[in-house]
Amino acid sequence: MSKHHKGSFHETVVSITNNDEIILSVDEFPFQSALSLSPLIAYWEEKLINDPNCNASRISELADLLREKGDLISPIHDVSVTDRHIDTVDVLMEDIFAGALWENDLKAVVAPFHFDSFYATPKLEELKLLGGDNYSEKLNIDKKTLLFRLTLSAYTIILDKFYNANFHVDEPFIFTIQDKFTKLDRHYKLSIDLKFMEVKAKGEIKKLRAQEINYLINRYNNLDLWMQKLPPENFEFSGFAIYDFTEVTIEETISSLRYELLDRDSIATEEGFEILQQKLRVLYALPGIRLGFASCPALQEFDTTYARKIWNGLILSQGSDLRLEDLNGSIYEPVIKKGHTIIVEDLKVLPVPTTIEDKLLEHGIRNLIIAPLEYEGRIIGLMELASPIPGELNALSTIRLKEILPLFALAMNRGLEELRSSIQNIIKEKYTAIHPIVEWRFTQAAINLLEKMERNASSEIEPIVFRDVYPLYGSSDIRGSAIERNKAIQGDLLEQLVLAKEVLLAAKDSLPLAILDELIFKTDKLSQGIVQDLASDEEAIILGFLREEIEPLFDYFAKKNSIATKAINAYRSAINNPYRVVYNKRRAYEESMFMINETISTFLEREEEKAQQIFPHYFEKYKTDGLEYNIYIGSSLLNDGNFQPIYLKNLRLWQLMLTCEVARRIHNLRANLKLPLEITQLILVHSDPISIRFRLDEKKFDVDGANNIRYEIIKKRLDKATLRGTEERLTQPNKIAIVYTQQKEAEEYVRYIEFLQSEGYIGKKIERLELEEMQGVQGLKALRVEVSFEEHLRHNIDAGDELLNIAQSASLN
């Protein structure tokens, strides 16, 4: 609550969250406090001594004036005293309230730890931020939390003055009131100046050692404990506080929008939509504006039910019968097709309105802004702000819109991903996901089967085999994922054992049972056993011990010893998740691995879709502890394909560039990961064509024929490949390993590497390596290069340059 100067003891800053358990038994502010203007005398007298430029005669006059009014110097218990001497108070407050800012400042003087002002600027009185008894409502906190914060603030002042311990709460008061004209919320941040407030001790100051002060600070939410150590009746506060308000409506609203948009239901439910719309009205201070948004994953999907699942637009609603062709020539066309932001001051004055504009006018809309929602360079939807009043939304409105568009785009993308995931789950359960490139062949096989059934012939479906296709394989593997996963499990188990031991130690204070010593010994033994390594069965042993021998005792401990309750609550809070275990480090590991996989997968899907332009090809990816993918290219995959070797070369160069870009993206992502995992990358080159067959039992393609099996064996063994004569792994972070068997393959890829060196993607050094023999695999060699992480390259993929175009610009013949 207060502004403190740094003490010599230490500095501790605490932020209070809604999850903090507050322990405070009193129902009223426990300290004696009184309004007094006497600190003004000390203030002026200090200025006489320390400020040679001050007006000494003026200060003496003010001090004498205050002394003449004895009831203003004494503690003031009746605020009406200040009303009787308002002329004197006006003079006394001149130094506090700058005359030039009097009309516009939001400032007040209040009694210590109260919110009722006895002197305030006109604008503050007009807003009615202070006064009344509904402060919990204005601050959006319950009365107990408000009392807790005031009491804790009083203790921070006591620690500062009497114990030189700088401990303060980093949690400002935010007042929320309704604007009397718009009836919309406005938010005001309170800053408090306590230079005119003092605290005195009644009697001798109780001595506290540094350890005791630290003990209290670490238990800041248990004010009953503080009141035992530092009884409130031993202190009294007097003087006054200066309250200074700053409007923070925009900042608070944007922060609140960010929080709401993290909720998965914010754009998917009617209630979530209404909350978002109301917050935008507050942000713009316009009570009549309307919000709309609609998804557009891809233009070819615009007319599908899938795209319309997240339609809550002004006219683009789920029940809308509008088609993509209806948007031609309308104000929506440049938004969806070109990513432009459109501002329409008045729909009625458009020279050539389409049926779209007519529909908007039918809905009472005259003025609107339509902006694209972009995610990773793709337009995934649009957002609308509309008003019935012409010109109410204008070009200036888009400045604020730019701050929130990324938030809506992120929420929209998450909604689309969840929808896409749901659809894929249904497909995986009910059907087989068939790549569009080979769908024609499956259709042909199904038609042939139907014809056989009509002739009463054999009803077995014919085998689907594609011959003479060229394979490309790549992998991005998370380095040491198994080790990191084990470390995460170790860390969580150790934390849970420590929490269990805290419960046992707390219970032992009042229950001197020998069995508790044995349980503590067993807990320590289990902790020591997993510090260095975690055996495969130790997790089950430890969890069994905790659930069968420790947790069943909690209710009994709580009844016998109230001190143990806090340790029990801490343990239960830590395992309050679906797994019923401490899951902090594992969650960090899983979230980091998910972000890496999603980043790679999303980028790979985006670029692979474009790469189909090189030559249509089959593509499949699958996630492990990282991501692997297969590409097959050849004329047999197409119904009427005309394959040329140049297409394969372009695709290989594109793959190498793609691998570089993946490395750069993960390198930049690491700073945002809770666990900074690394990836290793590998490309397998195979120049001879192979055959692939669709396996009905596994619902996927696999190599066909004994001659092609070696290719699959190599793929499975490569993740453990080492350099000949050493134990060094082939794959290394920040590098790309290119494995081959024929010298002509190495020569081809050296050309690609030299090209990418000139583009700035790859460092100058090329390692030529031989690999140790592995079971069933001999004669493998590799090129290894280091990825360049220069911030700016000649080509910027995110700014619109295409990997495809760069690859096609190279001379590969």
Side-chain angles (χ1 to χ4, degrees):
M1 179 174 180
S2 61
K3 295 178 180 177
H4 291 291
H5 300 293
K6 187 174 180 180
S8 60
F9 181 78
H10 52 60
E11 182 174 11
T12 304
V13 180
V14 168
S15 293
I16 300 175
T17 71
N18 293 330
N19 297 323
D20 288 325
E21 180 188 1
I22 294 171
I23 303 175
L24 180 62
S25 301
V26 298
D27 296 322
E28 295 181 353
F29 186 65
F31 292 93
Q32 181 181 342
S33 64
L35 171 64
S36 172
L37 301 183
S38 61
L40 278 173
I41 295 180
Y43 166 72
W44 288 319
E45 288 175 344
E46 186 179 350
K47 284 190 75 171
L48 278 173
I49 298 170
N50 299 321
D51 186 357
N53 298 318
C54 71
N55 188 333
S57 62
R58 174 63 172 160
I59 290 177
S60 297
E61 179 185 344
L62 290 172
D64 292 341
L65 182 62
L66 185 55
R67 288 192 181 95
E68 289 173 8
K69 311 293 183 180
D71 47 356
L72 288 179
I73 296 179
S74 305
I76 301 171
H77 300 288
D78 183 1
V79 179
S80 65
V81 171
T82 60
D83 295 334
R84 292 199 301 272
H85 301 290
I86 190 62
D87 292 338
T88 303
V89 173
D90 281 339
V91 175
L92 295 173
M93 294 296 168
E94 285 181 0
D95 267 22
I96 297 174
F97 293 83
L101 303 176
W102 171 256
E103 294 296 331
N104 295 316
D105 263 358
L106 298 175
K107 219 168 188 180
V109 178
V110 301
F113 303 103
H114 288 75
F115 291 103
D116 296 320
S117 68
F118 67 88
Y119 195 84
T121 60
K123 189 172 182 180
L124 183 60
E125 289 186 336
E126 180 186 351
L127 287 174
K128 293 183 171 52
L129 283 168
L130 300 176
D133 57 359
N134 61 336
Y135 291 110
S136 291
E137 183 180 331
K138 289 179 182 178
L139 292 166
N140 196 28
I141 55 178
D142 58 71
K143 291 182 178 179
K144 182 178 180 182
T145 303
L146 177 57
L147 177 60
F148 166 81
R149 289 188 56 182
L150 293 174
T151 306
L152 182 61
S153 295
Y155 273 119
T156 65
I157 297 169
I158 292 169
L159 283 185
D160 187 19
K161 179 167 182 179
F162 299 110
Y163 299 98
N164 204 27
N166 194 338
F167 165 64
H168 61 93
V169 179
D170 183 24
E171 198 75 20
F173 283 119
I174 305 293
F175 283 67
T176 301
I177 60 170
Q178 271 196 356
D179 186 279
K180 65 180 181 180
F181 298 111
T182 66
K183 305 303 179 185
L184 298 173
D185 287 345
R186 312 302 291 171
H187 305 289
Y188 297 86
K189 179 180 177 181
L190 173 60
S191 297
I192 303 174
D193 191 339
L194 300 180
K195 77 170 79 171
F196 295 108
M197 192 177 80
E198 56 187 22
V199 57
K200 294 180 181 178
K202 297 179 180 179
E204 186 178 351
I205 301 295
K206 182 178 180 180
K207 301 292 185 184
L208 288 180
R209 292 176 288 112
Q211 292 87 342
E212 292 179 285
I213 294 174
N214 276 326
Y215 184 82
L216 288 176
I217 290 175
N218 289 328
R219 290 154 182 81
Y220 71 91
N221 58 323
N222 186 354
L223 290 187
D224 284 355
L225 178 63
W226 286 63
M227 288 192 286
Q228 291 174 18
K229 294 285 186 180
L230 298 169
E233 57 269 21
N234 293 349
F235 304 92
E236 62 179 357
F237 292 87
S238 62
F240 59 87
I242 302 170
Y243 282 10
D244 195 353
F245 290 89
T246 305
E247 183 169 4
V248 290
T249 300
I250 293 175
E251 295 88 338
E252 281 294 304
T253 305
I254 291 177
S255 175
S256 180
L257 271 172
R258 184 177 290 110
Y259 177 80
E260 290 294 339
L261 288 167
L262 287 174
D263 187 342
R264 59 182 297 172
D265 294 330
S266 61
I267 65 171
T269 65
E270 184 177 345
E271 180 184 2
F273 175 82
E274 290 296 333
I275 291 173
L276 293 175
Q277 179 170 258
Q278 187 62 20
K279 290 189 182 300
L280 286 173
R281 288 171 174 172
V282 171
L283 184 65
Y284 283 96
L286 297 173
I289 64 173
R290 292 169 54 187
L291 167 67
F293 48 74
S295 60
C296 179
L299 285 179
Q300 62 267 29
E301 294 176 321
F302 187 88
D303 295 334
T304 65
T305 305
Y306 161 63
R308 296 172 186 237
K309 274 288 186 180
I310 312 179
W311 274 24
N312 206 339
L314 302 173
I315 55 173
L316 297 177
S317 59
Q318 290 187 26
S320 170
D321 58 357
L322 290 171
R323 313 296 291 177
L324 181 62
E325 62 188 28
D326 296 329
L327 302 185
N328 292 338
S330 76
I331 56 177
Y332 285 86
E333 184 179 24
V335 181
I336 292 177
K337 295 184 178 179
K338 297 183 180 179
H340 296 167
T341 296
I342 297 299
I343 306 168
V344 182
E345 291 193 7
D346 189 356
L347 281 168
K348 276 197 173 181
V349 301
L350 287 181
V352 187
T354 67
T355 55
I356 296 290
E357 287 78 34
D358 290 337
K359 284 181 178 290
L360 289 168
L361 286 168
E362 288 173 11
H363 284 74
I365 295 167
R366 296 281 298 275
N367 167 223
L368 79 160
I369 298 174
I370 314 171
L373 295 176
E374 297 185 21
Y375 185 80
E376 292 191 346
R378 294 179 296 117
I379 298 173
I380 62 170
L382 58 86
M383 176 178 169
E384 305 156 307
L385 281 180
S387 169
I389 303 172
E392 192 169 53
L393 295 166
N394 50 47
L396 292 177
S397 305
T398 61
I399 297 174
R400 196 161 292 163
L401 190 62
K402 288 178 182 177
E403 295 183 61
I404 59 175
L405 278 177
L407 303 178
F408 277 87
L410 193 63
M412 177 70 74
N413 184 69
R414 188 182 66 247
L416 287 170
E417 285 294 327
E418 290 174 356
L419 177 60
R420 191 176 290 118
S421 176
S422 299
I423 293 171
Q424 287 300 317
N425 288 338
I426 294 173
I427 290 174
K428 288 176 183 177
E429 181 182 352
K430 302 292 184 183
Y431 311 105
T432 299
I434 303 299
H435 195 282
I437 295 300
V438 295
E439 188 174 354
W440 66 273
R441 183 64 186 88
F442 286 84
T443 303
Q444 186 182 77
I447 292 172
N448 293 341
L449 177 62
L450 286 173
E451 290 177 351
K452 289 179 182 178
M453 293 172 65
E454 289 173 358
R455 295 195 304 268
N456 295 320
S458 173
S459 59
E460 289 186 9
I461 194 166
E462 64 193 62
I464 296 178
V465 180
F466 295 102
R467 305 189 186 283
D468 297 326
V469 296
Y470 293 89
L472 291 87
Y473 169 78
S475 72
S476 298
D477 189 40
I478 295 176
R479 185 63 178 265
S481 57
I483 296 172
E484 293 295 341
R485 186 187 292 111
N486 265 357
K487 285 181 181 178
I489 296 172
Q490 282 176 269
D492 285 338
L493 288 175
L494 284 170
E495 183 178 344
Q496 192 166 346
L497 286 167
V498 168
L499 289 169
K501 183 178 178 181
E502 290 286 339
V503 174
L504 295 171
L505 290 173
K508 190 171 176 291
D509 288 343
S510 59
L511 292 170
L513 301 175
I515 189 62
L516 296 183
D517 291 323
E518 192 276 336
L519 289 172
I520 292 171
F521 169 77
K522 180 70 178 291
T523 303
D524 287 340
K525 183 178 178 182
L526 289 172
S527 298
Q528 292 166 5
I530 64 171
V531 166
Q532 296 300 327
D533 193 20
L534 181 70
S536 58
D537 61 342
E538 283 185 307
E539 181 180 7
I541 292 171
I542 290 170
L543 292 178
F545 166 70
L546 292 171
R547 290 169 179 168
E548 295 168 15
E549 299 190 43
I550 304 295
E551 293 175 14
L553 301 173
F554 285 177
D555 291 340
Y556 177 70
F557 288 164
K559 290 178 183 177
K560 291 294 184 179
N561 182 357
S562 60
I563 297 177
T565 303
K566 182 178 180 183
I568 292 170
N569 289 341
Y571 182 98
R572 285 174 171 167
S573 175
I575 66 168
N576 185 23
N577 56 61
Y579 311 105
R580 304 298 300 160
V581 296
V582 172
Y583 212 74
N584 300 327
K585 290 182 172 57
R586 272 172 283 194
R587 185 177 293 109
Y589 167 80
E590 289 173 359
E591 288 179 4
S592 298
M593 188 166 71
F594 174 80
M595 286 184 68
I596 288 174
N597 281 338
E598 281 302 296
T599 299
I600 297 172
S601 180
T602 302
F603 179 69
L604 186 59
E605 285 179 357
R606 187 187 88 182
E607 295 302 319
E608 200 282 326
E609 184 179 339
K610 300 171 187 175
Q612 293 288 344
Q613 299 172 39
I614 297 177
F615 190 82
H617 56 272
Y618 181 87
F619 172 83
E620 64 179 0
K621 64 179 175 65
Y622 41 98
K623 294 179 183 178
T624 53
D625 285 350
L627 188 139
E628 300 177 45
Y629 61 89
N630 289 310
I631 297 175
Y632 300 109
I633 183 171
S635 58
S636 66
L637 290 167
L638 299 180
N639 201 9
D640 53 356
N642 180 20
F643 176 75
Q644 297 295 328
I646 188 68
Y647 298 132
L648 174 61
K649 292 182 178 181
N650 261 303
L651 201 58
R652 284 174 171 173
L653 174 56
W654 168 85
Q655 180 192 23
L656 184 54
M657 295 184 67
L658 179 84
T659 308
C660 292
E661 278 291 337
V662 166
R664 290 170 60 83
R665 275 163 167 70
I666 301 305
H667 178 78
N668 294 332
L669 177 68
R670 288 189 72 216
N672 298 320
L673 298 177
K674 292 182 179 178
L675 192 64
L677 300 171
E678 293 184 303
I679 65 165
T680 60
Q681 300 205 89
L682 179 143
I683 291 172
L684 173 61
V685 185
H686 190 83
S687 295
D688 298 327
I690 63 173
S691 297
I692 56 174
R693 176 187 294 266
F694 187 78
R695 308 288 182 189
L696 286 172
D697 52 347
E698 298 181 9
K699 300 291 190 294
K700 67 168 191 160
F701 279 100
D702 204 350
V703 296
D704 186 50
N707 293 335
N708 299 316
I709 293 298
R710 184 171 183 268
Y711 174 74
E712 281 297 315
I713 293 174
I714 293 174
K715 279 167 49 178
K716 289 180 170 60
R717 305 274 161 81
L718 273 180
D719 63 327
K720 294 181 174 58
T722 58
L723 307 190
R724 178 169 292 181
T726 74
E727 295 183 358
E728 180 184 341
R729 294 281 291 271
L730 167 64
T731 54
Q732 296 292 332
N734 305 329
K735 294 185 178 183
I736 299 171
I738 304 165
V739 178
Y740 64 94
T741 56
Q742 302 178 39
Q743 183 57 31
K744 67 176 183 178
E745 296 167 342
E747 293 171 358
E748 179 181 344
Y749 271 83
V750 166
R751 288 181 57 192
Y752 303 157
I753 290 169
E754 289 174 349
F755 172 68
L756 294 185
Q757 285 172 334
S758 71
E759 293 288 327
Y761 276 99
I762 291 176
K764 294 181 179 180
K765 184 179 179 182
I766 302 176
E767 297 180 82
R768 299 174 185 269
L769 310 169
E770 294 188 7
L771 306 187
E772 277 288 357
E773 293 185 0
M774 295 175 285
Q775 183 180 357
V777 179
Q778 298 87 30
L780 292 183
K781 297 180 180 180
L783 301 173
R784 194 165 67 183
V785 293
E786 190 163 2
V787 179
S788 169
F789 296 115
E790 291 181 19
E791 187 173 347
H792 300 291
L793 298 179
R794 190 157 66 88
H795 295 281
N796 187 337
I797 305 307
D798 290 322
D801 289 348
E802 302 289 350
L803 288 176
L804 174 63
N805 294 336
I806 301 169
Q808 290 177 334
S809 71
S811 177
L812 302 178
N813 289 315

